[in-house]
Amino acid sequence: MRGGRSLAETLESRLAQWSERSGVRVEIWALPATDVPAPVGQAVLETLNEALANVERHSGAKVVSVAVTAGRDGLRMTVSDHGRGFPAEKAGRGIARMRAAVAEVGGTLSVSSVKGEGTTVTAAVPRRG
């Protein structure tokens, strides 16, 4: 990633900065033990940034949980909060931007939200053969 840092180091730094600025506590459940191709790492960072912006703008959550793992099957990122949630028909431009970033590297994005219970965003990028 940037400046010779691994994806895990970049994610950890980004999450710490965002938490400090937003006042929302971040629980890091997992960070990738291996690096990924630069375009995949960039897509993950773009998606993470948008997911965190949505948490800050819309959720009212005090805590967000993040897990990013890279393995034989590819990369998986989950961002979950216990905020307001929203009905599916209210999905906005931020979700479209996340889907586009992940699709550019062959991945998929799913968003699960329950009004009053929170939202989980999951991105999955398969390993290229």
Side-chain angles (χ1 to χ4, degrees):
M1 296 297 322
R2 293 193 183 118
R5 293 186 344 184
S6 71
L7 177 59
E9 291 167 330
T10 301
L11 290 166
E12 194 169 35
S13 173
R14 173 69 182 115
L15 290 167
Q17 290 169 2
W18 179 82
S19 180
E20 178 72 27
R21 186 187 52 68
S22 69
V24 178
R25 186 166 58 89
V26 175
E27 292 179 341
I28 299 174
W29 290 350
L31 291 175
T34 61
D35 248 340
V36 297
V40 173
Q42 190 57 42
V44 166
L45 288 172
E46 287 176 32
T47 304
L48 177 69
N49 287 340
E50 190 63 48
L52 294 174
N54 286 343
V55 168
E56 187 175 1
R57 272 187 232 132
H58 306 298
S59 79
K62 301 293 182 217
V63 179
V64 63
S65 302
V66 177
V68 182
T69 56
R72 236 185 4 234
D73 296 334
L75 181 135
R76 184 176 192 82
M77 178 187 79
T78 303
V79 179
S80 187
D81 71 65
H82 294 290
R84 291 185 190 98
F86 62 91
E89 65 273 8
K90 296 283 187 186
R93 291 186 304 262
I95 291 173
R97 283 191 292 271
M98 288 188 284
R99 278 193 208 292
V102 172
E104 273 188 37
V105 291
T108 58
L109 184 92
S110 65
V111 179
S112 173
S113 189
V114 177
K115 193 150 176 61
E117 293 185 25
T119 302
T120 299
V121 173
T122 303
V125 180
R127 179 164 303 282
R128 298 191 196 286

